[in-house]
Amino acid sequence: MAQTTRSAAVNGPDGRRSPAPPPKGFRSAELGWPELHRIPHPPHRLPVVGDILGANVRTPLQDSMKLARRLGPIFRRKAFGKEFVFVWGAELAADMADESRFAKHVGLGVANLRPVAGDGLFTAYNHEPNWQLAHDILAPGFSRDAMAGYHPLMLDVARQLTARWDEREAAGRAVDVPGDMTKLTLETIARTGFGHDFGSFERSAPHPFVSAMVGTLSYAQRRNVVPPLLTPLVLRGADRRNDADMAYLNRTVDAVIAARRAEGGSESDGSGDLLDRMLQVAHPETGERLTPENIRRQVITFLVAGHETTSGALSFALHYLSRSPEVLARARAEVDEVWGADGEPAYEQVAKLRYLRRVLDESLRLWPTAPGFAREARTDTVLGGEHPMRRGAWALVLATMLHRDPAAWGEHPEEFDPDRFAPSAVRARPAHVFKPFGTGARACIGRQFALHEATLVLGLLLRRYDLHAEPGYRLRVAERLTLMPDGLTLRLSRRARAA
């Protein structure tokens, strides 16, 4: 069916046409917050440069977390003429989760990814029609039936991981947790979603796609903290590397799509994988299809977001498990009871690992690998009953601090305790205080895919290995828009009853 073009007008939650979209580009806080002076900022603000004393360009998120503890549930930072408002208090974050008043804001580092991801699901502006079109076409690709179809491929990739870890264990060598989790999750999304094998476990070094992806994410992060006037000087070489990284990502994805087109026989009824849906399935109501350019952007979005965040979640969970003997023993006992010692778990058995899922959730609470999300006002409004916001004004919700708010999580929010996610504890907590996948209509479409994959892999690893932490290691968190443990290695020993 021929492609059609949607109106650029935006429909609000009530189905009525909304006003024209807010202006594009960065909007400093003073443009949208009439009483900005009431929001605290760090002491010792300097003319022109702002709040840069003590700032570390490599750890802007962790710097903001330190400030949050000092300044309270809403605060602001300014650097070189740009001012940002941060929110992390449970009540204020719940207010910003109100879809009738707030929507996703594409700002900060996310907008810096638009040259490569364009109007893909993660980076599209709300008024761009392709995000809703793609969401409607692709959402069935994450249904229960679709997930059950991905499960055997997830198991196959997990076998590659355990084969690699068996070799390392036999040689008495530690495993590079973030590196191997990245290989696993890249292969999983590539094979389940796009029928492509990167051969990551056959390589000693990361696949060039991973190197290009990390380069692009790191560049986007650096663009956040380098003053615009200094960008041509400071990022001159980085600009060229980023252009090369984006070109490689585009070439790789174009080759994947071309190979699928050459195969022919894609499923037009939606029973194929994500790439089949992108190429063959029309919107059920309008008959619209994704354009070739948007398909490329969606594939890049899924390959990057679909593995980068899950690899971080797995890595943090393995870190905490290796340092929490009682939690590890309880999780392993559950795996042994539910799955047994032999054979591979069926799709339905993964969801039965309820305690292990709590371990994963608690890891995501402490270090959500997508550590924040921005929200903008749909209309003039008042945040928390006391902070006026003009239409288009935005703030960054710090999920890492929202997940540590004592008002929601108790007196010791820094402690690792999976029982925070026992059903009774979840029911007792306020809504909207756990947001590792964003919020609202633009929340992560693949969250159930990621959770199933991560729970499956953790269960397989706990059934097979004893995990031994390196005694001298202290958790360091690397920031490249997403979060990842830095330098995390573990030593392994095979369990006597392992399959």
Side-chain angles (χ1 to χ4, degrees), residues 357-421:
R357 171 63 186 276
R358 293 181 206 172
V359 170
L360 181 61
D361 284 343
E362 177 69 348
S363 302
L364 284 167
R365 180 187 72 84
L366 287 168
W367 293 108
T369 47
F373 53 93
R375 301 283 283 173
E376 66 181 41
R378 293 181 182 271
T379 60
D380 292 355
T381 188
V382 179
L383 177 64
E386 59 178 316
H387 297 289
M389 299 175 68
R390 297 190 181 101
R391 177 175 173 269
W394 65 279
L396 182 69
V397 179
L398 282 177
T400 48
M401 290 304 298
L402 171 63
H403 294 177
R404 288 169 165 82
D405 187 346
W409 302 97
E411 295 181 357
H412 305 288
E414 295 285 350
E415 293 182 1
F416 178 75
D417 180 8
D419 281 333
R420 297 181 198 275
F421 290 90

Side-chain angles (χ1 to χ4, degrees), residues 224-294:
N224 288 342
V225 296
V226 174
L229 292 177
L230 298 181
T231 296
L233 178 64
V234 175
L235 297 182
R236 182 183 303 166
D239 280 337
R240 291 193 294 270
R241 288 192 299 273
N242 186 60
D243 288 344
D245 288 337
M246 290 193 299
Y248 184 84
L249 295 177
N250 286 331
R251 288 196 307 273
T252 302
V253 169
D254 286 346
V256 171
I257 295 171
R260 178 61 58 87
R261 289 189 186 277
E263 291 173 5
S266 296
E267 301 292 341
S268 61
D269 62 356
S271 62
D273 60 17
L274 295 178
L275 186 52
D276 280 333
R277 297 194 67 85
M278 293 181 194
L279 292 171
Q280 298 294 333
V281 177
H283 191 279
E285 296 177 3
T286 67
E288 293 176 87
R289 294 182 184 273
L290 297 175
T291 65
E293 181 182 34
N294 187 257

Side-chain angles (χ1 to χ4, degrees), residues 96-258:
M96 298 197 82
D98 181 352
E99 285 284 291
S100 69
R101 295 165 52 219
F102 294 93
K104 174 172 180 170
H105 174 76
V106 177
L108 299 174
V110 176
N112 293 336
L113 295 175
R114 281 182 60 88
V116 66
D119 56 353
L121 280 169
F122 181 59
T123 48
Y125 293 114
N126 295 314
H127 64 273
E128 291 180 311
N130 274 332
W131 87 260
Q132 187 69 65
L133 173 61
H135 183 278
D136 293 347
I137 289 174
L138 293 171
F142 296 98
S143 66
R144 187 183 185 282
D145 287 346
M147 292 289 299
Y150 303 145
H151 180 79
L153 293 173
M154 292 182 178
L155 282 169
D156 189 46
V157 178
R159 288 188 211 103
Q160 294 181 281
L161 172 69
T162 54
R164 180 182 182 87
W165 279 24
D166 285 352
E167 293 175 359
R168 304 288 289 189
E169 186 272 337
R173 302 177 65 186
V175 295
D176 171 8
V177 175
D180 286 343
M181 292 305 106
T182 295
K183 291 180 179 183
L184 172 118
T185 55
L186 175 63
E187 291 301 326
T188 299
I189 186 60
R191 292 187 60 185
T192 58
F194 310 104
H196 185 74
D197 188 342
F198 281 99
S200 296
F201 287 104
E202 301 164 13
R203 297 170 175 270
S204 57
H207 190 282
F209 185 92
V210 173
S211 300
M213 176 212 70
V214 170
T216 299
L217 292 174
S218 299
Y219 177 82
Q221 179 78 306
R222 292 184 68 189
R223 285 287 302 272
N224 288 342
V225 296
V226 174
L229 292 177
L230 298 181
T231 296
L233 178 64
V234 175
L235 297 182
R236 182 183 303 166
D239 280 337
R240 291 193 294 270
R241 288 192 299 273
N242 186 60
D243 288 344
D245 288 337
M246 290 193 299
Y248 184 84
L249 295 177
N250 286 331
R251 288 196 307 273
T252 302
V253 169
D254 286 346
V256 171
I257 295 171

Side-chain angles (χ1 to χ4, degrees), residues 404-480:
R404 288 169 165 82
D405 187 346
W409 302 97
E411 295 181 357
H412 305 288
E414 295 285 350
E415 293 182 1
F416 178 75
D417 180 8
D419 281 333
R420 297 181 198 275
F421 290 90
S424 59
V426 173
R427 288 193 297 269
R429 270 196 302 275
H432 303 295
V433 296
F434 182 56
K435 296 289 185 179
F437 297 100
T439 192
R442 299 291 300 275
C444 175
I445 192 175
R447 54 191 176 276
Q448 294 305 322
F449 180 101
L451 290 168
H452 181 87
E453 176 190 3
T455 306
L456 170 66
V457 170
L458 288 175
L460 292 170
L461 295 179
L462 292 188
R463 189 170 68 168
R464 195 174 189 88
Y465 305 106
D466 287 316
L467 308 177
H468 307 288
E470 298 282 9
Y473 181 77
R474 296 294 179 267
L475 181 63
R476 303 185 303 273
V477 178
E479 300 183 27
R480 53 192 192 212

Side-chain angles (χ1 to χ4, degrees), residues 42-124:
H44 314 300
R45 175 171 284 187
L46 301 176
V48 183
V49 295
D51 306 315
I52 67 166
L53 291 180
N56 186 331
V57 296
R58 296 185 179 276
T59 57
L61 170 80
Q62 291 165 83
D63 285 352
S64 293
M65 292 173 67
K66 293 175 184 176
L67 290 173
R69 294 183 178 98
R70 292 166 51 194
L71 298 175
I74 181 170
F75 65 98
R76 53 191 168 115
R77 298 182 71 180
K78 188 173 187 177
F80 299 96
K82 292 184 175 182
E83 187 136 28
F84 311 85
V85 173
F86 297 82
V87 168
W88 62 272
E91 291 185 8
L92 297 179
D95 207 20
M96 298 197 82
D98 181 352
E99 285 284 291
S100 69
R101 295 165 52 219
F102 294 93
K104 174 172 180 170
H105 174 76
V106 177
L108 299 174
V110 176
N112 293 336
L113 295 175
R114 281 182 60 88
V116 66
D119 56 353
L121 280 169
F122 181 59
T123 48

